[in-house]
Amino acid sequence: MRKLFLHAFLLISFSTLLFSCGSGKKQAKPAQDIIEINDNSKTKPHQWFAFNKNGFEPVSIPQNAPAVPQKPWTEAIRISASSATSAEDGQTQKAYMIVNRLGIMSMNGPDFELNRDNTLFSERTAGNLIFINGTPVYSLYKSTFFNSNLLDNQHPFLVQFDPSSKISYPLVNCDNLTENKACEVTDFIFDGRTWFCCIKSEENTKTEFSYIKWVSNIPLLNQSPAVASQNITIENSDADAFRKEKEPLPFSKAPDRIRKLLTGMASTVPFNLTIHTAGGTSPRLYSNVSKENEEALTAYGVVSESWSGIMFQDGTLYVEGALDGRRILRKGKAVALRLPRLPYGFNYTSFVISGATLYAAWEESDFYMTGRSGFIKVDLDQTLYTKITT
């Protein structure tokens, strides 16, 4: 029964889960000295926050967050995607996190807020954060496995978040891509021009998957569900082509700055890495696993104009370069920082840096189920820049 359930669940997955749901026993082993952050220090450079059904609340440590019922990760309140805008001269690099079932969290240095949206988020899974000309764009998906009302009239797919009004606006609906009204786009890849989509449709209890690729004939941010059908060009595709777009590349093909961050580690530690380019399109996946079924660490990385960073699931963070308006760290060499150790069953998942403030997502997970979740906010001026003198 469990195998049948898992098989069905995987068929309808919203997107590839970026981070494993293991206990976090394995740890990244830095090749250099590491700056430790812990909850026992007298002056803490960090704060913990946990999500609840109304937003978030400060907590002393994650395990002291109020207990919540475990739910499948597609249905749980959790940070499902994170990314930052491109850096602009003289301005703090802004960052965003999608909080599934709640809304969009926006960060500007140490200042942050959650922009709730019950209309779009309450019954849908949100994720896949990218940027179009500096504007956050994300996708929505509703799973019939956990929601029986797929046959309603609203099937938003791509949505833009307007930072000025703090409101999300649909750009493209599912029925702009197919004539089948009972369908959802379960996953996509955007390479900067072409959108590669997997579409799940249901009719008379029969489930089918189809694949398309499409381009917008007008600037995407000018699209709306009312006109999108006339302003996009669609081609049929297939599962093999979609799978090829999604499959991880060897770590040897990762950007030079990312490979240099892990010098001395990549040859000995198996890991899977998801890399976002700040202000960019869909992330790229890289694998440093040489043996089939080899247990591997999961990691999340960001490449920005003046800095790059990688965080492993145990909270080990590597950073190189210069944060907004600050000097270059250690003459361009990687600096290692370890976030407070999480208890058994908890992992760090993704992170963003805005100005000199780090925001890292954490969650309690077991297999595909998610319980408590939240984020940690860390002052990098107080940690990296006061402890690194050269």
Side-chain angles (χ1 to χ4, degrees):
M1 179 64 71
R2 181 174 179 178
K3 289 183 178 180
L4 290 174
F5 178 85
L6 175 59
H7 180 67
F9 176 78
L10 291 177
L11 282 176
I12 59 157
S13 67
F14 175 48
S15 62
T16 302
L17 190 57
L18 298 184
F19 292 89
S20 67
C21 297
S23 64
K25 292 180 180 179
K26 297 188 73 174
Q27 295 185 4
K29 296 180 179 180
Q32 66 269 16
D33 293 337
I34 190 166
I35 300 170
E36 296 276 357
I37 298 176
N38 63 71
D39 289 307
N40 299 321
S41 59
K42 293 181 180 180
T43 57
K44 297 180 181 179
H46 63 284
Q47 296 172 279
W48 293 103
F49 298 89
F51 291 116
N52 55 45
K53 63 181 181 180
N54 298 314
F56 59 83
E57 59 189 290
V59 293
S60 56
I61 50 177
Q63 54 266 47
N64 288 346
V68 299
Q70 286 199 339
K71 295 181 179 181
W73 62 270
T74 57
E75 313 302 297
I77 295 175
R78 57 185 290 272
I79 292 175
S80 57
S82 305
S83 195
T85 62
S86 300
E88 298 182 18
D89 291 340
Q91 296 186 19
T92 300
Q93 187 173 8
K94 295 179 176 61
Y96 299 88
M97 287 179 157
I98 296 180
V99 186
N100 193 46
R101 301 297 166 137
L102 286 181
I104 305 293
M105 195 163 76
S106 54
M107 287 76 74
N108 186 6
D111 302 320
F112 65 97
E113 64 178 329
L114 174 63
N115 306 285
R116 294 199 59 189
D117 190 328
N118 292 331
T119 301
L120 290 176
F121 278 74
S122 61
E123 294 184 342
R124 297 179 177 90
T125 303
N128 290 320
L129 178 62
I130 62 171
F131 289 90
I132 303 292
N133 296 330
T135 297
V137 173
Y138 60 96
S139 64
L140 296 172
Y141 162 72
K142 182 181 287 187
S143 166
T144 53
F145 195 88
F146 304 107
N147 303 276
S148 60
N149 57 340
L150 178 61
L151 299 177
D152 59 19
N153 295 321
Q154 298 296 321
H155 296 270
F157 163 43
L158 287 180
V159 182
Q160 70 163 306
F161 175 74
D162 180 9
S164 298
S165 66
K166 302 177 183 179
I167 296 175
S168 291
Y169 301 95
L171 296 171
V172 178
N173 282 357
C174 296
D175 57 10
N176 296 133
L177 304 176
T178 174
E179 295 180 356
N180 191 330
K181 302 299 181 183
C183 71
E184 292 284 337
V185 177
T186 60
D187 202 2
F188 79 85
I189 289 285
F190 176 55
D191 64 7
R193 182 179 184 276
T194 303
W195 300 81
F196 302 85
C197 295
C198 172
I199 300 176
K200 177 196 173 194
S201 59
E202 293 194 10
E203 189 173 2
N204 299 324
T205 70
K206 184 180 180 180
T207 301
E208 293 183 344
F209 290 88
S210 59
Y211 303 86
I212 62 169
K213 57 183 180 179
W214 60 274
V215 296
S216 178
N217 300 326
I218 62 174
L220 184 75
L221 299 183
N222 292 341
Q223 294 279 19
S224 73
V227 300
S229 297
Q230 290 76 47
N231 292 314
I232 59 178
T233 300
I234 301 173
E235 294 182 34
N236 290 327
S237 187
D238 55 43
D240 289 339
F242 184 78
R243 191 178 300 114
K244 184 177 180 180
E245 294 294 328
K246 292 282 293 184
E247 66 183 5
L249 298 173
F251 181 67
S252 59
K253 295 185 178 181
D256 288 344
R257 290 168 61 189
I258 291 296
R259 288 189 286 109
K260 289 178 181 177
L261 269 174
L262 301 182
T263 299
M265 177 181 169
S267 61
T268 58
V269 178
F271 56 82
N272 293 306
L273 175 62
T274 300
I275 295 294
H276 272 271
T277 298
T281 57
S282 295
R284 292 299 320 191
L285 307 181
Y286 298 93
S287 177
N288 193 57
V289 179
S290 57
K291 300 177 183 178
E292 188 175 356
N293 299 322
E294 184 176 28
E295 184 179 0
L297 295 170
T298 54
Y300 181 94
V302 178
V303 177
S304 189
E305 284 87 343
S306 63
W307 63 270
S308 59
I310 294 174
M311 183 183 71
F312 285 85
Q313 66 196 51
D314 70 338
T316 302
L317 176 72
Y318 298 85
V319 181
E320 63 82 24
L323 303 184
D324 287 348
R326 290 156 179 84
R327 60 180 170 78
I328 296 176
L329 290 163
R330 195 174 279 166
K331 298 180 180 179
K333 296 181 180 179
V335 177
L337 176 75
R338 179 167 288 141
L339 301 179
R341 191 179 301 276
L342 292 172
Y344 182 88
F346 289 69
N347 280 316
Y348 291 101
T349 56
S350 64
F351 77 95
V352 291
I353 296 176
S354 178
T357 304
L358 167 76
Y359 298 85
W362 60 264
E363 63 185 51
E364 178 186 22
S365 52
D366 180 16
F367 194 35
Y368 60 89
M369 303 292 283
T370 299
R372 291 168 286 186
S373 66
F375 60 97
I376 183 174
K377 174 187 174 185
V378 182
D379 182 348
L380 296 181
D381 273 330
Q382 192 176 340
T383 51
L384 290 183
Y385 278 93
T386 58
K387 294 181 182 296
I388 302 298
T389 58
T390 59

